[in-house]
Amino acid sequence: MEYRQLGRSGLKVSSLSLGTMTFGGKGNFAKTGDTDLEGARRQVDMALDAGINLFDTADIYSNGASEEILGQALKGKRDRVLVATKARFRMGEEINDAGLSRYHLIRAAEVSLKRLGTDHIDLYQLHQWDGMTPLDETLEALDTLVRSGKVRYVGVSNFSAWHLMKAMGVAALEKFIAPVSQQIHYSLESRDAEYELIPATLDQQLGVLVWSPLAGGLLSGKYRRGTPTPEGTRQLANWGEPPIRNEERLYDIIEVLIGIAEAHKVSAAQVALAWLLGRKGVTSLIIGARTDAQLADNLKAANLVLTADERANLDRVSQPPLIYPYWHQARTASDRLSAADLSLIEPYLSK
């Protein structure tokens, strides 16, 4: 297992992390999985044996059950690992039981600590943007949690680039503890993050934790052009994330994945994960699994090395169009672009 520095923090995290959205199986989250405590203990041990040191959850996952199960599964092992959780979404019926207000965030952190059975959260993340709460209020609440010892580091998730940069700017201006990472969706099927989130990451020296790197299982190799959707999958259960905008393009990507997988005698999922581990700015991929077999397979991606030609083929079949203003920058500003700019634009300069 490779360990990578989480942004400008002093933390080293494993290149694969264990996501626990499948723990609990309550409400709508039953569509993703229903791992109970016994199963969670097995998966935690499998992850630890593979070298994983970061475990990610959220208060909203199965309405708190994921945090509770993870906390119990980590008993006696807590000092060996980093625990990340998130808050923002509604966790009660009262009007203020949601959002990024000081009121909700501090209450949410304190309840998460109890569920997890720990005295601190290693990485506390804003799960989604809240356009109604002033950012100085949100960041001051996070600052308070860090200085109180309840939280070690803070991050954001699912922010747009301007949301992210506004947060970084307010933190610097007000001298609050600043985010060290962002948790984003990024995969061969959806490379939207490359337009602005990855360049912002490189420019600001942030860590990147990737959720759903297999696009909700679409890149697992189970989905093929012209074949029925497999039973027991998220897409069959209408999970809805990520949205599929171009089905034919998706199947083109899958065919290239499967060809490379067959050459290496590994799964398509391993190839998709290995490709992402080699992308600029990526710190760790959050992998989750409905079954132990899926987890065991995904863990092997940490050791898979793709050739330059294989990477180029995957790049080519999945490359998004260069949108404005980037196509204009590629044509007129290529003489004065930073490394962050080039993370997006460089592949298009020879075209």
Side-chain angles (χ1 to χ4, degrees):
M1 182 68 65
E2 180 186 359
Y3 297 90
R4 301 177 178 182
Q5 192 161 349
L6 187 65
R8 287 182 291 179
S9 79
L11 281 183
K12 289 289 188 76
V13 302
S14 47
S15 60
L16 297 179
S17 308
L18 184 65
T20 64
M21 189 167 65
T22 58
F23 289 8
K26 292 185 177 181
N28 196 46
F29 288 93
K31 296 177 180 179
T32 71
D34 58 354
T35 305
D36 60 12
L37 178 56
E38 182 181 353
R41 284 175 171 151
R42 286 197 308 272
Q43 291 194 2
V44 164
D45 286 343
M46 290 172 65
L48 290 171
D49 289 345
I52 283 178
N53 74 342
L54 177 61
F55 294 79
D56 181 78
T57 185
D59 59 2
I60 193 66
Y61 295 166
S62 288
N63 196 34
S66 173
E67 287 184 326
E68 292 173 355
I69 291 173
L70 177 61
Q72 293 178 60
L74 286 174
K75 280 186 177 179
K77 305 163 185 172
R78 176 66 180 91
D79 291 343
R80 297 171 54 190
V81 303
L82 303 169
V83 173
T85 191
K86 303 178 281 293
R88 152 61 170 88
F89 294 112
R90 180 160 296 282
M91 291 298 292
E93 297 180 359
E94 300 301 322
I95 189 67
N96 290 308
D97 288 342
L100 298 181
S101 67
R102 176 184 174 87
Y103 174 88
H104 180 65
L105 270 183
I106 291 180
R107 281 167 56 98
E110 291 172 345
V111 176
S112 286
L113 286 168
K114 291 178 182 177
R115 291 195 198 98
L116 288 162
T118 187
D119 63 356
H120 71 278
I121 296 163
D122 295 293
L123 178 63
Y124 198 46
Q125 301 157 106
L126 306 178
H127 205 162
Q128 178 56 279
W129 176 251
D130 174 359
M132 296 184 67
T133 302
L135 262 174
D136 56 352
E137 177 180 338
T138 298
L139 294 172
E140 190 275 337
L142 293 176
D143 193 84
T144 296
L145 287 167
V146 172
R147 297 188 190 281
S148 70
K150 295 177 181 178
V151 167
R152 297 291 191 257
Y153 298 90
V154 300
V156 302
S157 181
N158 302 312
F159 276 32
S160 69
W162 78 263
H163 294 151
L164 172 66
M165 291 308 299
K166 185 175 181 180
M168 298 297 290
V170 171
L173 182 66
E174 301 293 342
K175 295 183 170 54
F176 292 143
I177 299 294
V180 299
S181 63
Q182 57 171 333
Q183 186 174 142
I184 62 175
H185 178 53
Y186 185 19
S187 73
L188 272 165
E189 192 278 332
S190 178
R191 293 173 59 179
D192 301 349
E194 293 179 7
Y195 288 124
E196 294 196 345
L197 292 174
I198 294 298
T201 285
L202 297 171
D203 183 73
Q204 296 296 306
Q205 295 179 278
L206 295 170
V208 166
L209 308 176
V210 177
W211 63 264
S212 199
L214 295 177
L218 289 173
L219 302 176
S220 65
K222 296 178 182 177
Y223 299 86
R224 301 291 296 271
R225 184 182 274 114
T227 61
T229 302
E231 293 288 337
T233 61
R234 288 192 212 174
Q235 295 300 318
L236 189 66
N238 296 317
W239 177 244
E241 291 185 1
I244 304 171
R245 299 191 180 96
N246 187 331
E247 189 171 330
E248 289 306 308
R249 174 179 172 275
L250 167 64
Y251 286 126
D252 289 343
I253 293 169
I254 291 171
E255 291 308 311
V256 176
L257 272 178
I258 289 173
I260 294 172
E262 290 174 346
H264 285 269
K265 297 182 180 180
V266 299
S267 69
Q270 289 181 45
V271 175
L273 294 173
W275 175 85
L276 202 47
L277 283 172
R279 301 301 292 175
K280 292 179 180 178
V282 171
T283 309
S284 185
L285 309 183
I286 301 173
I287 58 172
R290 298 168 68 96
T291 67
D292 294 355
Q294 288 176 354
L295 178 58
D297 183 76
N298 290 348
L299 288 169
K300 295 175 183 177
N303 300 316
L304 178 60
V305 178
L306 302 178
T307 68
D309 284 345
E310 288 167 342
R311 286 193 168 278
N313 288 337
L314 289 167
D315 291 349
R316 192 177 306 112
V317 73
S318 64
Q319 191 169 60
L322 201 59
I323 61 175
Y324 177 81
Y326 307 115
W327 58 259
H328 198 272
Q329 292 172 3
R331 292 181 180 183
T332 65
S334 61
D335 60 327
R336 296 182 66 84
L337 295 178
S338 70
D341 298 315
L342 290 170
S343 70
L344 169 67
I345 293 175
E346 190 170 27
Y348 301 87
L349 292 180
S350 60
K351 296 183 177 181

